[in-house]
Each structure stands twice: as C-alpha cells, then as structure tokens.
C-alpha cells in the first residue's frame, strides 16, 4: 500500500508494489531535480596539536590516577602534586647524604673533642739519657783498678789521643771532659770557676726528649733531686789535658747544683746565664724530638748519683713537675764521677810525652790531675 500526500491531513497509506515490499528510500538533494547524491558522508579530521594535547592529557591522567588525584582536578593542582611527589622522592633517595651533610659540623666537633681527649691522655714526653761516648777535645778517663804492665806498655805506645781513648774505654774506663772556662759568663759565675785553682772535669751526657702528642709540649725548667755522693773508688787516671778550645753548646751544672743552674754554655750572648730563664725544649705538635747536651760536675774526689725532675706545660693547660723514670718505671738515677784525690796510677800525655805522675808528681801537666 502506498500513501499520497493530502493537503488536508496526513498521507494515506498506499499499497506496496511487488508483493508489498517497502520502497527503497530515495535521497533528496537541494536541487529541483531530486537526483540521488553520489558523495559519502565525511567525518571531521583532528589536528596534530589536538592529538599531542590529548597525549599529554593522557599522561597527566595516568600520573594523577597513580597519585590518587581526583579525575576532575585542574592541571595546576596536578603539577603541584607531581612536584611535591618528586621532591619527596629525592629526599628519600638522598636522605643519607643530606643527613651526613647536616651532621658534618657536629660530627667534626665530636671527632675533634675525642682526638683532644685521647691526645691529652698520652704521656707528654719520654726521656732517654746516654753518656757521650765520642772523644772530647780534652779528656780524662778513670778506672776502678790499676793497669797491668802489659796494658801500660800498650797504652803508652799510643801515638795519638783517639787510640788511647778507645783503648781505655774498651778496658771499662769512665770518660770525663775538662770543662772549658766560660769566658763570657757573668763575673759571679767565673769567680766560682777559678776559686779552686784547678780545672773542673765534667761527666757529660745527652738527654733526648720524645713526644707522640699532636699538640706542643714545652719543657721550661728542671731540678736535681735525691743527691747521694760517696768517695770515689777509682784507682787509675789517664789524662789528655786541654790544648785550648771553646765551650760546647749545651748546659752545665754542679752536683749538688748551684744557684741559677743549669747555665748556658754556648759561646754566645747569654753564656753563664740560667738556661731556662731564656730557653725551653719544645716537642710534640709536629716536632717529635728535642735534645740537649749537659755537663755535670761532681765535687772533687766524689762519685754522685742523682735524679731529674722536669716541669712542663702543654696546650691543655696542664703544667706540672714529673720525675724522670727509667725503662723499668723506677726513678732515673744519673751517675757523675770525678777524679779521685789520691789515685794509685796517674798518667798524662799530649803536649808532653807519656808521664807517670804517680812516680814523678812534679813533672809538667801533672798538676792538672
């Protein structure tokens, strides 16, 4: 059935052709001819900019979703949240580094304090003392026994002082040095030197001070302690008297010490003045060792033993006296000899031939013994 248009109402139904099959729809054009259109319908095309924008939106959407941000959140909020999340991530990754950086100053302070505490707990210094074994310019050697005939022949056949000195010390002799006159010392000191009318003989030793401290230690005074003297037991004296010469660099003191001793023996300004009045010994703080040569003079005919107490100051405000001790922890004992008053054998040589002063006491140079 087909329908036809009516001006007064809806179209009436019309019978379909060919058995009532519905008619194919026909396209209508805007033209008057009513011909069917041959061009298919076209969809709108998206630009590349829109595509990239969509991709960015997808990335932000994924990131926002991963961070639990609401789907409708603004881009600015998304950016802020992302930056905050990245900052937190960096803090987590570099946490240890940041903590170490923040703690550098406290750690350094604690480390320095610990080092200072350890340094202050160490011994301020140790001291070793040894006799001077090298041949002095002028010397005397004392022995606790007499020389045998063979030893006497061998000794007096020596042509030089070095050979005789080595031979006597090999026999167990104790070497002494003639103490040079301190010509540039104050008059109060030189008067004491010449009052006896005899040259003094000193027992010479070297004192080496060692320190492992990283801060400086200053030794600024010392004193002789616990002096005990007895009569010398030496039986033989062999002397190579002075041939002239200046004083050695170092210090000098008598046993027991006189006022203001030890004194400076350098052949410079200050000779004969108290050594620790203008000088000190510094060790530690990059200077691990220091030393000094000392001349100790015992009373004539005496053999003395004595100790040393040293005063020091350090950077930890510690200043005190300490008694020097030996390797066994006992108080260090120094031994200072002198020439016996009436030895059984006395020999002198040098500017004169070998002379037995115990047989010919009036011979030249015998009065120097």
């Amino acid at each position: 059935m087909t329908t036809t248009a009516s001006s007064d109402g809806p179209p009436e139904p019309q019978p379909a052709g060919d058995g009532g099959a519905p008619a194919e729809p026909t396209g209508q054009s805007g033209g008057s001819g009513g011909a069917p259109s041959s061009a298919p319908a076209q969809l709108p095309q998206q630009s590349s900019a829109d595509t990239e924008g969509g991709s960015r939106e997808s990335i932000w959407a994924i990131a926002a979703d991963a961070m639990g941000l609401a789907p409708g959140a603004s881009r600015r909020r998304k950016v802020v949240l992302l930056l905050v999340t990245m900052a937190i991530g960096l803090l987590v990754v570099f946490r240890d580094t940041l903590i170490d950086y923040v703690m550098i100053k406290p750690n350094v302070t604690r480390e320095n304090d610990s080092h200072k505490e350890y340094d202050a707990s160490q011994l301020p210094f140790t001291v070793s003392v040894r006799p001077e074994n090298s041949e002095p310019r002028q010397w005397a050697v004392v022995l606790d026994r007499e020389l045998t005939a063979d030893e006497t022949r061998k000794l007096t056949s020596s042509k030089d002082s070095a050979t005789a000195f080595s031979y006597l010390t090999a026999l167990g002799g104790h070497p002494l040095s003639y103490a040079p006159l301190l010509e540039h010392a104050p008059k109060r000191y030189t008067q004491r030197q010449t009052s006896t009318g005899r040259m003094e003989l000193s027992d010479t030793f070297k004192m080496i001070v060692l320190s492992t401290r990283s801060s400086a230690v200053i030794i600024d005074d010392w004193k002789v302690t616990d002096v005990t003297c007895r009569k010398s037991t030496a039986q033989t004296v062999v002397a190579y008297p002075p041939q002239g010469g200046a004083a050695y660099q170092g210090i000098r003191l008598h046993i027991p010490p006189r006022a203001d001793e030890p004194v400076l023996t350098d052949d410079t300004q200050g000779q004969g003045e108290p050594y620790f009045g203008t000088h000190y010994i510094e060790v530690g703080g990059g200077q691990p060792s220091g030393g000094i040569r000392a001349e100790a003079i015992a009373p004539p005919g005496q053999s003395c033993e004595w100790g040393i107490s040293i005063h020091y100051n350090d950077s930890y405000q510690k200043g005190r006296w300490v008694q020097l001790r030996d390797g066994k922890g006992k108080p260090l004992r120094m031994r200072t000899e002198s020439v016996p008053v009436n030895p059984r054998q006395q020999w002198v040589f040098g500017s004169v031939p070998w002379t037995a002063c115990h047989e010919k006491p009036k011979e030249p140079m015998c009065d120097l013994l």
Side-chain angles (χ1 to χ4, degrees):
M1 179 181 292
T2 62
T3 62
T4 60
S6 173
S7 57
D8 295 329
E12 293 293 329
Q14 299 292 326
D18 298 330
E24 292 291 334
T26 59
Q28 296 182 358
S29 66
S32 59
S37 174
S38 61
Q42 298 292 324
L43 295 174
Q45 298 293 323
Q46 292 183 340
S47 67
S48 60
D50 292 338
T51 304
E52 292 175 1
S55 299
R56 283 196 294 268
E57 289 293 340
S58 299
I59 294 173
W60 286 114
I62 294 172
D65 184 63
M67 292 184 288
L69 193 65
S74 66
R75 172 179 287 188
R76 181 175 181 180
R77 187 173 182 182
K78 294 177 182 178
V79 171
V80 171
L81 181 58
L82 179 61
L83 292 176
V84 171
T85 305
M86 291 175 62
I88 294 173
L90 289 173
L91 287 173
V92 171
V93 172
F94 296 103
R95 178 189 59 186
D96 293 340
T97 303
L98 290 172
I99 292 175
D100 290 343
Y101 179 78
V102 172
M103 295 299 294
I104 282 176
K105 187 173 181 179
N107 287 340
V108 169
T109 301
R110 284 196 297 270
E111 185 177 348
N112 289 340
D113 291 342
S114 177
H115 176 74
K116 289 179 181 179
E117 183 179 351
Y118 173 78
D119 195 47
S121 69
Q122 302 302 299
L123 286 174
F125 56 84
T126 58
V127 176
S128 64
V129 177
R130 62 179 179 83
E132 187 175 54
N133 295 321
S134 58
E135 181 193 1
R137 287 192 291 260
Q138 50 273 332
W139 50 264
V141 176
V142 296
L143 293 92
D144 286 337
R145 63 177 180 82
E146 296 183 50
L147 296 176
T148 65
D150 289 342
E151 290 170 343
T152 299
R153 281 193 296 270
K154 187 171 183 178
L155 174 66
T156 56
S157 66
S158 304
K159 302 301 181 181
D160 60 272
S161 64
T163 302
F165 183 84
S166 297
Y167 181 64
L168 289 167
T169 53
L171 292 177
H174 187 96
L176 303 172
S177 302
Y178 280 94
L181 182 67
L182 301 182
E183 298 176 349
H184 306 293
K187 186 175 293 185
R188 67 179 184 277
Y189 194 84
T190 56
Q191 287 174 344
R192 291 177 180 174
Q193 286 184 284
T194 57
S195 61
T196 62
R198 300 182 63 179
M199 294 195 68
E200 294 179 309
L201 285 151
S202 67
D203 216 332
T204 307
F205 62 91
K206 290 183 178 180
M207 185 174 72
I208 306 299
V209 185
L210 304 171
S211 178
T212 59
R213 283 197 180 181
S214 59
S215 59
V217 178
I218 305 297
I219 295 174
D220 55 10
D221 202 0
W222 83 347
K223 58 185 177 183
V224 173
T225 62
D226 304 323
V227 178
T228 58
C229 294
R230 58 179 174 78
K231 183 179 179 180
S232 174
T233 58
Q235 300 294 315
T236 300
V237 180
V238 180
Y240 181 69
Q243 311 296 312
Y248 287 92
Q249 181 179 3
I251 60 175
R252 179 182 298 178
L253 72 157
H254 291 76
I255 304 298
R258 298 171 179 173
D260 300 330
E261 288 187 331
V263 298
L264 184 67
T265 60
D266 299 17
D267 193 15
T268 59
Q269 185 178 2
Q271 186 184 80
E273 297 288 351
Y275 177 80
F276 288 109
T278 55
H279 293 69
Y280 57 83
I281 302 172
E282 180 179 354
V283 291
Q287 186 169 326
S289 65
I292 195 168
R293 179 184 183 272
E295 300 173 357
I297 301 173
Q302 299 286 306
S303 176
C304 299
E305 290 188 355
W306 48 285
I308 303 176
S309 184
I310 286 181
H311 186 270
Y312 78 91
N313 281 288
D314 62 18
S315 59
Y316 304 111
Q317 305 302 316
K318 291 183 179 178
R320 62 191 183 97
W321 289 93
V322 292
Q323 183 74 33
L324 296 188
R325 298 182 177 275
D326 59 21
K328 298 180 180 179
K330 297 181 179 180
L332 179 68
R333 300 296 290 168
M334 305 293 298
R335 176 190 171 193
T336 300
E337 292 281 350
S338 67
V339 173
V341 176
N342 295 304
R344 295 182 180 179
Q345 292 181 329
Q346 293 177 287
W347 299 90
V348 63
F349 78 110
S351 59
V352 296
W354 280 98
T355 302
C357 294
H358 55 283
E359 298 174 353
K360 302 176 181 180
K362 300 298 183 182
E363 290 293 317
M365 307 296 288
C366 287
D367 58 344
L368 294 177
L369 292 173

